[in-house]
Amino acid sequence: MKKIFLIFAVLGAFVACDPVQEDISNGGHISIDELKAKTTVTVDKAASGANGNVVTCQTSAPVNAKWMIGDKEFIGNYAWKKMKIGEYTVVLTALCPDGTELTAEYAVSCQEITNELEKIYIYGDPANGQEPAVLGPGDAAAGRFSDGEGKYFPFLSDDVYFGKKTLIFDIIAAEEGPFIWGSDVGCTCRIMSGWWDGPFADNVPLSVGLWELPITDDIANTCAKGATAHDLDIMMTRGSVTIKSVYYEE
């Protein structure tokens, strides 16, 4: 009997001395303070001591986590992303087991490139020697991302669509012209699908330089092969542009 008592005493001592044992179940709900206490958002450091450009996010809270880093969304308790130099707000949306939703924001500053962004070419890879693409007014085929019905650009994979990549167009020439049905002058495009669904955006101004087009949920759900496969289409509504390359960075 004495031995049994000693065993229970030892076990009780272990439980009492465990500093990390914590009950935050609260009926399936945690507070915003508990969420923040179990969450870190960090930026790596350059050799100079300045902030680098890799953002790392993680939480050990018992929640379903969704991160918004820049213009990209990540699902999971861990996420990381290479960024351009700049100031950002990382948003964590956490769904507690009881269905309660919590939101926390973290300001980060990326001051120096420590991990170069890699260009993933869709068109115009310098190694392939492709000619620049010319998009004229009203020519829907010229800017259609379709192996069969486009003039230049290939199909975009579901990884591009559902990965919410940001397409970067390197525009090397832009000329103004009247609206395709004859009104005011400019250099604008319509972002639509190759099936002439309602436009995702219209009268978007273009000029020489880098133009960024983020893939949205609406675009992905309309154009991905895993959706309806209507193909992304960039149609000029005023003027024309010459595009050296199309790529995304990661």
Side-chain angles (χ1 to χ4, degrees):
M1 186 69 180
K2 186 175 182 181
K3 291 182 179 179
I4 294 174
F5 175 80
L6 288 174
I7 290 173
F8 277 110
V10 170
L11 289 175
F14 273 116
V15 172
C17 296
D18 184 357
V20 297
Q21 185 168 341
E22 181 182 8
D23 180 12
I24 61 168
S25 59
N26 298 331
H29 173 69
I30 66 172
S31 69
I32 187 66
D33 289 337
E34 289 170 322
L35 175 65
K36 290 181 176 179
K38 292 179 173 292
T39 301
T40 59
V41 175
T42 59
V43 183
D44 66 327
K45 292 294 182 181
S48 64
N51 285 349
N53 71 309
V54 179
V55 177
T56 301
C57 309
Q58 56 187 347
T59 182
S60 61
V63 296
N64 290 323
K66 178 178 72 175
W67 308 89
M68 183 62 70
I69 311 174
D71 58 355
K72 295 293 183 296
E73 185 178 283
F74 300 85
I75 305 295
N77 288 57
Y78 175 87
W80 75 279
K81 186 177 186 301
K82 292 186 285 186
M83 309 292 289
K84 296 180 180 178
I85 292 174
E87 307 293 321
Y88 302 94
T89 299
V90 175
V91 180
L92 167 61
T93 303
L95 183 64
C96 299
D98 69 350
T100 304
E101 188 173 284
L102 302 175
T103 301
E105 297 186 354
Y106 303 85
V108 295
S109 174
C110 297
Q111 302 164 335
E112 192 172 320
I113 297 296
T114 48
N115 196 327
E116 288 285 348
L117 292 164
E118 181 184 358
K119 292 182 180 179
I120 311 298
Y121 282 94
I122 294 167
Y123 182 83
D125 186 335
N128 295 338
Q130 292 170 310
E131 293 295 321
V134 180
L135 278 55
D139 187 355
R144 184 170 179 169
F145 287 82
S146 170
D147 294 338
E149 300 178 69
K151 287 187 178 179
Y152 302 102
F153 307 140
F155 282 123
L156 295 177
S157 70
D158 281 10
D159 287 342
V160 173
Y161 282 122
F162 292 125
K164 307 294 175 52
K165 306 299 185 184
T166 294
L167 303 184
I168 302 173
F169 294 74
D170 187 354
I171 300 174
I172 57 176
E175 296 183 6
E176 292 193 344
F179 187 66
I180 52 178
W181 289 293
S183 69
D184 56 325
V185 173
C187 186
T188 61
C189 74
R190 176 177 298 159
I191 303 168
M192 61 182 199
S193 84
W195 283 33
W196 292 83
D197 302 296
F200 304 115
D202 211 351
N203 299 315
V204 178
L206 299 178
S207 60
V208 172
L210 299 180
W211 172 53
E212 295 191 356
L213 173 60
I215 298 295
T216 62
D217 284 330
D218 197 11
I219 292 175
N221 291 334
T222 300
C223 300
K225 292 179 182 178
T228 57
H230 283 190
D231 307 325
L232 179 63
D233 199 341
I234 311 300
M235 186 185 75
M236 298 302 298
T237 51
R238 296 178 182 84
S240 63
V241 294
T242 302
I243 298 172
K244 180 180 179 182
S245 60
V246 182
Y247 59 90
Y248 61 90
E249 294 179 318
E250 62 180 18

